Amino acid sequence: MKPSEKCKKAGLKSLKEMSKITGRSTRTLQQWSEDDPVFFDIVLIGAVTVSECHRSNLHQ
C-alpha cells in the first residue's frame, strides 16, 4: 500500500497533511515508508492522534 493510501485509510486527508503535522517533507515520509515501514506506521499513528486532537480542539 502506498504511503498516501495508508494516510487516508488511517483518517488523514493525505500524505501532505501528515507532512504538515510532522514537519517532514512528503519525500522523507515516502522514504521512511520504504526503508522502515514500522517506523512510518508509528509516526502515522502519532499524526492521526494530533489531527484528531486538533479537530476536537483538545490541542491548541
Side-chain angles (χ1 to χ4, degrees), residues 15-55:
L15 185 63
K16 188 172 181 177
E17 181 180 11
M18 184 174 172
S19 174
K20 287 181 181 181
I21 291 169
T22 63
R24 300 293 187 253
S25 70
T26 55
R27 183 64 197 128
T28 295
L29 297 173
Q30 290 167 337
Q31 198 64 46
W32 287 353
S33 178
E34 293 171 20
D35 295 344
D36 195 345
V38 173
F39 179 71
F40 177 86
D41 290 346
I42 291 168
V43 175
L44 176 57
I45 290 166
V48 169
T49 302
V50 169
S51 177
E52 289 172 354
C53 288
H54 282 180
R55 288 184 187 137

